[in-house]
Every structure is written in C-alpha cells, then in structure tokens.
Amino acid sequence: MGERGVLLDRNEEELSARIERLRRELLEAARHRSLSDNRVIELSQRLDTVVLLAQKKKLERTDGGHL
C-alpha cells in the first residue's frame, strides 16, 4: 500500500472514531433529554453528516467514485 493508501486508512480511522464519539454523545444526551431536545437533534444531525461523509469516502475508495 502506498502513501496515499496509508493516508486514506488514517482518514477512515479518524472518521470511524469521530462517528463512535458522536454516537456515544448522542446516546448519552438522549438518555437525559427529550428526543426533540435541540441538543439531541444537533448531535443526530452531526452524526448523520459524518456517517454520510464516511460512506462517500468508502464508496470513492472501493468504486473509484463511480455510482
């Protein structure tokens, strides 16, 4: 694997770690607040954004970006 592959792996690992952090934050917030609470909604939206980014990057890597 070349340098680019190592960077892609690191980026994917960072995204995975970020997803896991946001997921834990969201679960904790949802335990203590209403699901319609602004903080819960904000965390959910942030998590959605990061998950979509991770999926896009994975698709680009495995499919060359072709849909």
Side-chain angles (χ1 to χ4, degrees):
M1 179 182 316
E3 184 177 329
R4 184 169 185 261
V6 171
L7 289 174
L8 286 172
D9 284 345
R10 186 177 306 143
N11 287 339
E12 287 177 9
E13 289 173 12
E14 290 171 3
L15 277 173
S16 292
R18 190 169 173 198
I19 288 168
E20 190 56 31
R21 261 192 322 273
L22 283 169
R23 188 185 69 80
R24 283 193 305 266
E25 270 188 75
L26 175 59
L27 289 173
E28 187 64 22
R31 278 191 200 110
H32 301 287
R33 302 171 186 236
S34 165
L35 293 180
S36 60
D37 183 86
N38 285 338
R39 178 70 177 148
V40 173
I41 293 169
E42 175 195 347
L43 287 167
S44 178
Q45 290 172 339
R46 286 173 52 198
L47 179 58
D48 288 345
T49 299
V50 177
V51 166
L52 287 173
L53 178 61
Q55 289 175 337
K56 180 180 176 187
K57 287 190 176 292
K58 185 174 183 175
L59 179 64
E60 287 172 354
R61 183 173 184 184
T62 59
D63 191 26
H66 300 107
L67 296 176

